[in-house]
Amino acid sequence: MPDTPATPPRVAVFVPDLSDAPDRRAAVAIAHALHRDGHPVDLVAPMGGGALRATLDPAIGQIDLAKRHAATSPLALARCLAERRPAVLAVPASVAWIARLAVRLARSRTPVVTVGGTDVEAALAAIRAATPRSG
């Protein structure tokens, strides 16, 4: 019986909101690219509404933390990390401190990958480098 290939590890992408801003569009593009590569992907935001919500593939997990601002999200993000157990948490530089705090609160070893700017290919390379290999 042939071995079935392992499912690629889950990746979470945390954004401060889903407004139509360049770094948010890049985060959505990253989520789509990871999904096309076969990764289970969660896009996490303090509030789920915004211009980019409609652009998300329905297969990408859309997690609304029910928080008004990113700065009030660390504990809710920590709960999400504890429940979903992503292999990597990718975040724009503007919210990296929130992600690092959430990882500590969750007592998780999930690596936080800061994806700066709008260079999707560089961000994907950094995420893939931080993703643990199975087997």
Side-chain angles (χ1 to χ4, degrees), residues 11-104:
V11 177
V13 180
F14 176 67
V15 292
D17 57 53
L18 289 171
S19 64
D20 191 9
D23 62 337
R24 276 60 154 196
R25 284 193 304 273
V28 169
I30 289 164
H32 282 118
L34 291 166
H35 173 65
R36 280 191 303 276
D37 287 350
H39 288 272
V41 180
D42 294 320
L43 188 81
V44 184
M47 289 297 257
L52 295 178
R53 182 180 181 135
T55 68
L56 288 171
D57 185 306
I60 294 172
Q62 298 177 35
I63 300 177
D64 179 346
L65 298 177
K67 296 294 175 185
R68 191 174 215 57
H69 304 287
T72 61
S73 298
L75 189 55
L77 181 57
R79 281 192 299 267
C80 179
L81 294 173
E83 291 171 7
R84 305 291 286 185
R85 298 186 183 273
V88 174
L89 176 59
V91 298
S94 64
V95 292
W97 70 273
I98 295 166
R100 287 191 291 274
L101 177 57
V103 166
R104 290 189 67 157

